[in-house]
Amino acid sequence: ETLTVLPLLVSGSEAVPGGVVLGLRAPGAAAALRRRVAASLGSGQFALLAGTELLAESGNASAEQLGLRDGDVITVVRMALQDVHPTKFPGGDRGAFAALLGGGSVVAWGHPRGGGDSSTVKDQLRSGVATLCSTGHAFAALKVDGSVVAWGDPRRGGDCAGVQDELTSGVRTLFSTRYAFAAVRDDGSVVAWGDPQKGGECSGARAELAGGGGVATMASTHSAFAALMEDGSVALWGKSREGGSRWTASGGQESETRLREQLAGGVKSIYACNASFAALKTDGSVVPWGAAYCPAHVLEELAADVQEIFSTDSAFAALKAGGGVVTWGPVERGGGVALLQRGVQTIFANQAAFAAVLRDGSVVTWGDQDAGGDSSAVQAQLGPSDVGVRAICGTDSAFALLREDGSVVAWGDRGRGGDASAVAD
């Protein structure tokens, strides 16, 4: 036994000429209907409405179970894809994606216990979602009304029931570590949930969060948050040895006391890598803390004249006035390298290496040799040039340079974008 439904675009024209025939009791009716409409339109970016309700497309329900009848009109609403958001890398073996569609609805797929199954909150994700945020195992959606919806691994941010009363309205933006979320409210206060040891509990920083005039912005390592307050102070919480306290690999109690004073005010921006932070102050000095070792002679170089900071996954590079570069962190990830005293215009980074563009148009690289830190194979193409550098893009282990004349040079891991020879022509 069959029935025919009529998919119509909002304009009234037929999305599938003649309609779609479905088995009355055949499983997967909605999926079959979507396939036919997608094939006809040449696109999968649409929603299906039965009357005024979004047609439930998940599961194996038959047309009869969906309440469809012969001759029913199914409205096809084209929806531009706004964003596809992955769980925060690396998420172990539970990777997932969430897609934000043009109507503010969200669909998710991937590991069901890592954010790929949003069925428990599907009604809240039908419309009104403004932005998405993720940990390594969960998602959180910020809606236009200032409320927050979370799903995924409940231990890593997928369950916000404990703070739900504070997330029903008034949330301005979301941040995350790999294991926890933090919501900044309109009044500058913070609500955190997820793994309490890795950013999901901020009660230890309440005094700092309450006394800084509200949160201006935040940065995160894998397991810790740093909140830059409106008054230029910094509040910290999360895993101590990944930046969640004033512990630093460079010193003991004395350095912690010094850090407390340095982070009490005057900070204008915060930078982060996997397990370390760096704060750039208004006087041009830099305050580093966390797991990346920063020796005394580098701290001296960071005392003034820093303009911008860049990072790989474990190391930092500071660009100073005059074009000098100062680095710290593991040598194999681009830190601990004494190299350039002047002439650097800007710096680019991937996960394990840096590439600096000099004012003469040349490029200098350092860090993991297999990830782009060694550019000797293309050095002739990276030397001084009258043709300027428009941009350098990086995968996790390779670089591609685009010059102003449209030419491209690639280097690094050949299997991850470091070899463009196949498309050189």
Side-chain angles (χ1 to χ4, degrees):
E1 190 175 355
T2 63
L3 56 83
T4 301
V5 295
L6 307 173
L8 299 181
L9 296 171
V10 175
S11 64
S13 60
E14 294 184 346
V16 181
V20 176
V21 178
L22 299 171
L24 180 64
R25 298 181 181 86
L33 176 58
R34 168 167 282 278
R35 286 194 295 271
R36 287 293 307 278
V37 174
S40 178
L41 297 179
S43 169
Q45 295 182 30
F46 57 84
L48 300 174
L49 277 72
T52 59
E53 295 294 321
L54 194 65
L55 189 66
E57 296 182 42
S58 59
N60 266 340
S62 66
E64 184 177 55
Q65 291 169 322
L66 290 171
L68 298 179
R69 295 177 296 181
D70 189 56
D72 275 356
V73 171
I74 302 297
T75 304
V76 180
V77 182
R78 290 182 179 272
M79 303 175 73
L81 185 65
Q82 290 190 38
D83 184 30
V84 176
H85 204 90
T87 44
K88 184 166 283 191
F89 180 83
D93 61 352
R94 295 190 179 185
F97 291 94
L100 176 59
L101 302 178
S105 64
V106 172
V107 293
W109 66 96
H111 197 290
R113 293 194 299 276
D117 179 4
S118 60
S119 59
T120 58
V121 293
K122 64 181 181 181
D123 290 341
Q124 296 163 273
L125 299 177
R126 290 185 189 277
S127 64
V129 175
T131 59
L132 295 168
C133 187
S134 67
T135 64
H137 307 80
F139 292 100
L142 175 59
K143 304 193 71 174
V144 293
D145 63 3
S147 64
V148 174
V149 181
W151 70 97
D153 188 330
R155 301 167 301 169
R156 275 78 179 262
D159 180 4
C160 60
V163 292
Q164 190 62 59
D165 289 347
E166 299 174 85
L167 299 176
T168 56
S169 64
V171 174
R172 186 173 74 207
T173 189
L174 297 172
F175 298 91
S176 67
T177 65
R178 277 182 62 193
Y179 306 94
F181 291 106
V184 179
R185 293 177 52 81
D186 289 335
D187 61 4
S189 62
V190 174
V191 182
W193 71 98
D195 189 323
Q197 304 301 316
K198 298 177 180 179
E201 171 58 65
C202 61
S203 60
R206 285 295 181 199
E208 296 163 320
L209 289 170
V215 173
T217 189
M218 291 173 59
S220 65
T221 62
H222 275 344
S223 303
F225 288 107
L228 175 58
M229 309 303 291
E230 292 287 356
D231 67 357
S233 63
V234 177
L236 307 173
W237 69 95
K239 188 174 181 179
S240 175
R241 303 249 164 157
E242 291 190 7
S245 73
R246 288 165 183 79
W247 177 86
T248 171
S250 307
Q253 184 63 43
E254 182 180 344
S255 67
E256 291 186 35
T257 301
R258 184 174 63 251
L259 274 169
R260 183 175 295 277
E261 296 172 352
Q262 292 173 316
L263 296 178
V267 175
K268 69 175 184 178
S269 54
I270 302 175
Y271 302 83
C273 62
N274 284 356
S276 305
F277 290 107
L280 177 59
K281 303 193 69 173
T282 54
D283 63 3
S285 65
V286 172
V287 182
W289 73 97
Y293 180 69
C294 188
H297 73 277
V298 173
L299 286 172
E300 291 177 5
E301 290 287 335
L302 296 175
D305 298 328
V306 174
Q307 296 183 326
E308 195 170 358
I309 299 173
F310 306 85
S311 68
T312 62
D313 63 7
S314 304
F316 294 96
L319 178 60
K320 302 191 69 175
V325 175
V326 181
T327 69
W328 67 100
V331 174
E332 65 273 14
R333 308 304 270 189
V337 179
L339 55 151
L340 301 167
Q341 297 300 314
R342 65 178 67 86
V344 175
Q345 193 170 41
T346 190
I347 300 172
F348 297 87
N350 61 25
Q351 291 292 302
F354 292 102
V357 179
L358 277 64
R359 294 193 179 97
D360 63 4
S362 62
V363 175
V364 175
T365 63
W366 69 97
D368 187 328
Q369 294 191 357
D370 295 329
D374 178 6
S375 56
S376 57
V378 293
Q379 194 55 55
Q381 296 163 274
L382 299 181
S385 174
D386 292 333
V387 181
V389 174
R390 184 180 302 175
I392 296 179
C393 301
T395 64
D396 60 346
S397 303
F399 289 108
L401 175 148
L402 174 63
R403 289 200 179 273
E404 294 290 353
D405 63 0
S407 61
V408 174
V409 183
W411 70 97
D413 189 320
R414 297 171 65 88
R416 297 185 177 183
D419 181 5
S421 60
V423 293
D425 296 332

